[in-house]
Amino acid sequence: MSREQCESEEEEAEEFFFQDIEILQEHGINSADIQKIKKAGIYTVGGVLTNTKKQLCNIKGISEAKVDKLKEAATKLCGNGFLTALEYGEKRRSVFKISTGSKELDTILGGNRSLTTTVISGGIESMAITEFFGEFRTGKTQIMHTICASCQIPRDDYEGGKALVLDTEYFRLNFLNSRPDRLRAIANRFELDEDEVLTNVAYRRVYNSEHLASSIIEAAGEFYEERRIYKLLIIDSLTHPFRTDYCGRGELADRQQKLGQVLSRLQKVAEEFNMAIVITNQMVSDPGECKEKVMFTIVTKFTIYLNNSFQADPKKPIGGHVLAHASTNRISLRKGRGETRIAKIYDSPDRAESEAMFAITEGGISDAKE
């Protein structure tokens, strides 16, 4: 398929998901009101429908009467009918996948390996939130580095594009300032121009959860201004600012509420702009699990054996059910021998539970050597 055909089909399929909010002027909506809505991070007609009346009324200068008019116009444009599964499947033709750099990892994320060839068309999909979680040194940030470069590589059904990184952990002391050589080495592996790869990665250091929420809104503005240019949004890590801003069980409810709002915004961005959203997540030990495990180990060697064999892992990903329900695909990472790591499909709507081994190399993530 030629690049021109790829772009034509992508534009046709995206019409279903992306309709510029400026179209509402043709339906009697004032231009000044549209600009106010844009400042709130809503850039599409679908965005008007996915936000509640309460959220729209909270925008300065937008009254309840204006909200009703906005909703009515947006409904006319988007339609309020139903689609068959076949029709919706056709509309999702614009969904693309970004390689992780490892064919084995791409396979469990949705690749297809035929009986006669080893061609793999899998990877991290757009219009979805993909979450990688694991302990330290399991390869989370290394995967982020690699996909910053691999997202720029055109494929048969994908034209390539830019990446935007929101860094709450400073990418191990800010990789764009302190460690640009890491991305340069990955660019060399893929035979890409080093400076061009670095130029196509937009970066922002995020200081707290409020800054993260506002940065996502600003990122949506970038995606709107350069539509079909940006393909990947990375947040490393999503939960870090919430862990530091909200402490103790007394603030747990507030933390989960704010986390849910951020995830809701990410889901809208993923669908409206056909973006691949990738987040990393940290782990936490469950005190209840640990206490139960200690009690078992006191009795006999036999119960120790039972404990080690059947006891659940006390370490869990942060975010609870709020994050678990919002993430489309969840991948757990654990350490292997040497530089090898093991990825496992922890939760996915369409992928079977399976594992893949990959390695951390000088050129980023790749398949582990036999």
Side-chain angles (χ1 to χ4, degrees):
M1 182 184 296
S2 68
R3 184 185 181 90
E4 290 75 15
Q5 288 176 320
C6 176
E7 291 179 356
S8 177
E9 288 191 4
E10 189 171 338
E11 287 177 356
E12 181 182 344
E14 277 187 349
E15 288 179 359
F16 173 71
F17 295 99
F18 186 98
Q19 294 187 76
D20 197 325
I21 197 171
E22 294 288 349
I23 301 175
L24 292 177
Q25 288 191 57
E26 301 173 6
H27 294 262
I29 306 300
N30 189 286
S31 176
D33 291 335
I34 291 177
Q35 297 308 313
K36 294 173 185 176
I37 295 171
K38 280 185 176 181
K39 288 182 180 179
I42 301 171
Y43 300 93
T44 67
V45 175
V48 174
L49 290 177
T50 56
N51 282 274
T52 65
K53 288 187 177 181
K54 180 180 179 181
Q55 290 171 326
L56 294 173
C57 284
N58 287 335
I59 300 174
K60 188 176 180 180
I62 303 298
S63 65
E64 188 172 346
K66 289 180 179 180
V67 169
D68 291 335
K69 192 174 180 180
L70 278 165
K71 288 281 189 180
E72 182 181 356
T75 301
K76 287 181 180 178
L77 283 169
C78 292
N80 56 359
F82 296 94
L83 293 174
T84 66
L86 180 62
E87 290 171 332
Y88 190 77
E90 286 296 310
K91 299 295 185 182
R92 279 181 57 86
R93 285 183 302 167
S94 61
V95 171
F96 58 85
K97 294 187 177 181
I98 298 172
S99 173
T100 61
S102 165
K103 291 182 179 179
E104 295 299 323
L105 183 53
D106 287 349
T107 300
I108 68 171
L109 287 173
N112 298 313
R113 185 191 297 273
S114 70
L115 295 175
T116 57
T117 67
T118 58
V119 175
I120 299 196
S121 58
I124 297 166
E125 68 176 356
S126 63
M127 290 193 193
I129 299 176
T130 302
E131 173 194 353
F132 290 91
F133 67 87
E135 298 180 85
F136 65 96
R137 291 189 67 246
T138 53
K140 299 186 297 294
T141 299
Q142 296 300 322
I143 293 175
M144 303 304 108
H145 280 90
T146 306
I147 61 178
C148 278
S150 66
C151 75
Q152 302 179 36
I153 303 173
R155 305 169 79 176
D156 290 340
D157 55 350
Y158 169 62
E159 59 185 354
K162 295 182 179 181
L164 190 148
V165 179
L166 299 180
D167 186 6
T168 68
E169 294 185 336
Y170 323 130
F171 250 158
R172 301 301 182 195
L173 303 180
N174 192 342
F175 82 93
L176 288 185
N177 291 332
S178 303
R179 302 185 180 181
D181 290 342
R182 186 73 185 109
L183 275 183
R184 292 184 184 277
I186 297 172
N188 282 330
R189 171 202 168 183
F190 292 117
E191 298 181 350
L192 301 173
D193 181 85
E194 297 177 8
D195 292 336
E196 186 176 350
V197 167
L198 288 170
T199 301
N200 289 334
V201 179
Y203 173 87
R204 170 176 286 185
R205 180 174 172 177
V206 176
Y207 298 98
N208 53 54
S209 58
E210 291 180 355
H211 192 204
L212 175 61
S214 63
S215 294
I216 293 172
I217 293 176
E218 292 179 46
E222 288 290 320
F223 304 152
Y224 173 75
E225 295 296 332
E226 298 190 60
R227 186 162 70 93
R228 298 180 64 246
I229 301 298
Y230 281 98
K231 300 294 185 180
L232 174 65
L233 171 61
I234 293 173
I235 304 180
D236 186 21
S237 80
L238 177 70
T239 52
H240 175 72
F242 293 95
R243 292 188 77 181
T244 55
D245 293 353
Y246 300 90
C247 302
R249 292 184 179 273
E251 295 185 326
L252 180 60
D254 289 338
R255 186 190 81 172
Q256 294 301 91
Q257 184 182 53
K258 296 296 183 183
L259 177 60
Q261 291 171 353
V262 166
L263 287 165
S264 176
R265 169 62 63 181
L266 286 175
Q267 288 172 327
K268 293 170 185 175
V269 168
E271 182 166 303
E272 289 176 22
F273 298 101
N274 191 18
M275 296 289 296
I277 310 288
V278 184
I279 61 177
T280 66
N281 193 6
Q282 301 173 341
M283 302 284 284
V284 65
S285 295
D286 188 331
E289 291 282 358
C290 293
K291 182 178 179 181
E292 186 177 357
K293 188 168 185 177
V294 171
M295 291 178 65
F296 270 118
T297 57
I298 294 174
V299 188
T300 66
K301 292 182 180 179
F302 180 66
T303 53
I304 292 175
Y305 171 76
L306 288 177
N307 183 36
N308 290 336
S309 299
F310 301 103
Q311 192 74 8
D313 190 341
K315 296 182 293 297
K316 297 179 179 179
I318 301 167
H321 296 293
V322 171
L323 181 53
H325 290 303
S327 296
T328 311
N329 298 297
R330 308 188 82 190
I331 297 92
S332 68
L333 303 173
R334 68 178 189 271
K335 301 168 189 174
R337 292 183 179 180
E339 294 302 315
T340 63
R341 302 292 186 269
I342 300 170
K344 179 180 180 180
I345 298 294
Y346 188 81
D347 183 33
S348 175
D350 59 353
R351 306 307 302 171
E353 186 174 298
S354 55
E355 293 185 350
M357 182 179 291
F358 64 92
I360 300 173
T361 68
E362 184 67 24
I365 298 301
S366 65
D367 287 330
K369 295 180 180 179
E370 295 295 337

